[in-house]
Amino acid sequence: MTRTPFLTRPRKRARSRRALLCAALLTVTVQTATAAAPALADGPGGPGGHGGRDCVKTEGRLGDRGRQVQEITRRAKDELKLNAVQVKVMLDGREVLTDALGESMTGVPAEPNMHFRAGSVAFAHIGMTLLKLVEEGTVGLDDTVERWLPDLPNNDKITLRMLATNTTGLHDYVTDPEFLKVLEQYPFRQWTPKELVGYPLGHSFWYEPGTSWSYSHANYVLLEAALEKITGTRIDELVREKVTGPLGLRNTRNSFTPEIPQPVLHAFTSERGLYEESTFWNPSWTTGPGAVVTTHICDLARSAQAVGSGELLSPSSYRTLLDPGTVGLGGGTATCPAEICLKQTEAAHFGLGVIVVNGWVVQNPSFSGYAAIQAYLPSKRLAIAVSATKTAETAEGNMAEVVAERIATALAPDTPLALGG
């Protein structure tokens, strides 16, 4: 559910496979900066930037930066041949622009309050939930998981930290040809965690747990199951208690079905060879039940700001979020090819549920016709959130990233959001 360019999972041969996902990596100089203040509009208002009202387009006359971002977004929509683009940018806790362009469906204008699938954004929230539990003394990051995952091979070596940082050595079912064959044929299928994890467990581990890095969605399916057993609380309720509730992310919600709350931003894709609507394809394969979330662009911007600034975390936990020990891991070996065991560098690495690159803290879901990105630059207190949907002429890849990169170049030219490698 995450797409990455230079730290990418292996490209899939079929169009549907290439469009599914890639694992992302990025880096930031670990900062101990205190949390950013809640996002405020240019006038009185709360975290949504609109005085507590619903997520709406920026009202009144735009400032210079707002007009600049709006023009960048309009040009990008046309050049990239996108069906719809939603965007929200916050700078130093204040709204720069909230906007939506294009259509949700034919004749239905896109609006900022339309909900879309958020994919791997949930991983950032789960990573923060884990760190909150560590801060509370409920569990330790380096606790092994045999108590909670007794059937998992190597469970006496695998720790919670390894699951959260993709350092277990488990294969990724999302790049497994057998899994992809079934997913392409049956996009409405309801998947169980046992079925999903069964694919990587059909292979030997890429490496000894903790000795390298490789992206695997199975890690988060397992981590979510472990956290439920540790706390005795369902994962959606736990994340709401620890993260999304305190942050006021009222429109970021789990669903146990393919349902999306109204109003809906519809999605379309050519993954299966013809351009078709994919809005209600079953997303149960993306992660474990309880963490399959939808959101809207205002919540996504708030999430970018809060996750990227470590708002709910202690300075120590924030440093761990940004680099939990992954820097230096990875690189091809005799048992794990370089395109799988991607080298983790200070300039580009996976943190604890987040991607860190060139100072930006990111998550970038892309699947089943939906593409989005939340990105935060702590040094500028700059939050960028973009969601995009496709026309039949849209190129493959996460086009929300491209829009966000262009906005970042305009607002933070000395610190590019260099996701394209």
Side-chain angles (χ1 to χ4, degrees):
M1 299 164 339
T2 297
R3 129 109 178 103
T4 326
F6 54 93
L7 291 174
T8 159
R9 297 193 284 274
R11 293 187 179 272
K12 306 162 187 84
R13 289 188 292 271
R15 177 183 299 183
S16 60
R17 297 177 184 178
R18 288 195 301 270
L20 282 177
L21 335 140
C22 297
L25 296 172
L26 311 103
T27 195
V28 73
T29 301
V30 175
Q31 306 191 31
T32 58
T34 55
L40 298 175
D42 289 334
H50 290 288
R53 288 167 289 173
D54 289 340
C55 185
V56 297
K57 294 182 180 182
T58 303
E59 300 170 347
R61 186 174 180 179
L62 293 177
D64 291 344
R65 290 193 182 96
R67 289 194 298 272
Q68 188 178 22
V69 172
Q70 189 175 64
E71 180 60 24
I72 289 168
T73 306
R74 285 175 175 168
R75 288 184 180 179
K77 179 189 174 297
D78 292 341
E79 291 174 10
L80 302 174
K81 297 178 171 44
L82 298 173
N83 194 53
V85 182
Q86 299 166 305
V87 60
K88 186 175 182 72
V89 176
M90 307 290 292
L91 181 61
D92 199 25
R94 302 178 73 84
E95 180 186 56
V96 174
L97 178 72
T98 305
D99 204 359
L101 307 173
E103 295 182 319
S104 171
M105 298 184 292
T106 303
V108 180
E111 298 291 346
N113 67 340
M114 288 180 168
H115 298 87
F116 54 88
R117 300 203 187 279
S120 55
V121 168
F123 296 169
H125 299 162
I126 290 164
M128 289 183 69
T129 298
L130 173 58
L131 289 170
K132 293 295 292 180
L133 293 172
V134 171
E135 288 181 0
E136 295 164 6
T138 302
V139 74
L141 265 186
D142 295 313
D143 290 350
T144 54
V145 300
E146 66 267 26
R147 287 167 287 176
W148 311 300
L149 303 173
D151 298 326
L152 177 65
N154 283 332
N155 58 15
D156 59 338
K157 300 176 183 177
I158 292 172
T159 65
L160 295 171
R161 183 195 301 267
M162 293 175 195
L163 289 173
T165 58
N166 288 294
T167 57
T168 63
L170 283 165
H171 283 232
D172 189 3
Y173 60 83
V174 169
T175 57
D176 189 305
E178 293 303 313
F179 168 78
L180 290 169
K181 186 189 305 180
V182 178
L183 182 63
E184 182 174 319
Q185 188 174 1
Y186 302 105
F188 297 102
R189 173 172 171 168
Q190 180 77 23
W191 293 85
T192 68
K194 183 176 180 180
E195 289 170 336
L196 296 173
V197 175
Y199 286 95
L201 293 184
H203 303 276
S204 59
F205 282 60
W206 284 118
Y207 46 81
E208 275 292 301
T211 63
S212 189
W213 185 94
S214 54
Y215 195 87
S216 174
H217 289 74
N219 288 321
Y220 271 80
V221 174
L222 292 164
L223 176 60
E224 292 151 19
L227 292 180
E228 288 187 333
K229 290 188 178 181
I230 289 165
T231 62
T233 304
R234 217 170 60 185
I235 194 67
D236 58 320
E237 297 172 356
L238 183 64
V239 172
R240 184 166 61 247
E241 174 191 337
K242 301 297 183 185
V243 176
T244 59
L247 294 179
L249 301 180
R250 293 183 295 275
N251 282 275
T252 302
R253 308 169 189 168
N254 165 73
S255 178
F256 290 101
T257 74
E259 180 185 13
I260 300 176
Q262 294 288 339
V264 177
L265 181 71
H266 286 246
F268 307 85
T269 184
S270 301
E271 289 177 14
R272 302 199 306 164
L274 74 162
Y275 185 64
E276 59 186 329
E277 177 159 4
S278 53
T279 307
F280 297 107
W281 284 4
N282 196 317
S284 59
W285 60 271
T286 58
T287 190
V292 181
V293 297
T294 56
T295 192
H296 66 28
I297 202 67
C298 293
D299 266 20
L300 191 66
R302 175 73 177 121
S303 173
Q305 178 196 47
V307 172
S309 67
E311 184 172 324
L312 298 177
L313 301 175
S314 68
S316 175
S317 292
Y318 181 48
R319 290 193 294 271
T320 299
L321 179 80
L322 300 182
D323 180 13
T326 48
V327 172
L329 295 177
T333 67
T335 59
C336 186
E339 64 268 23
I340 299 292
C341 288
L342 300 169
K343 186 66 176 178
Q344 306 292 286
T345 68
E346 204 167 310
H349 64 270
F350 196 88
L352 203 150
V354 298
I355 300 155
V356 187
V357 65
N358 200 27
W360 292 85
V361 185
V362 179
Q363 261 297 354
N364 54 348
S366 177
F367 65 101
S368 299
Y370 284 105
I373 183 171
Q374 66 171 49
Y376 186 78
L377 184 59
S379 62
K380 299 281 189 184
R381 290 166 54 93
L382 173 60
I384 299 174
V386 179
S387 170
T389 58
K390 301 178 178 182
T391 67
E393 298 178 317
T394 306
E396 293 182 3
N398 186 329
M399 293 299 108
E401 285 181 3
V402 179
V403 179
E405 287 170 352
R406 295 181 184 184
I407 295 170
T409 298
L411 300 185
D414 297 332
T415 317
L417 179 58
L419 290 166

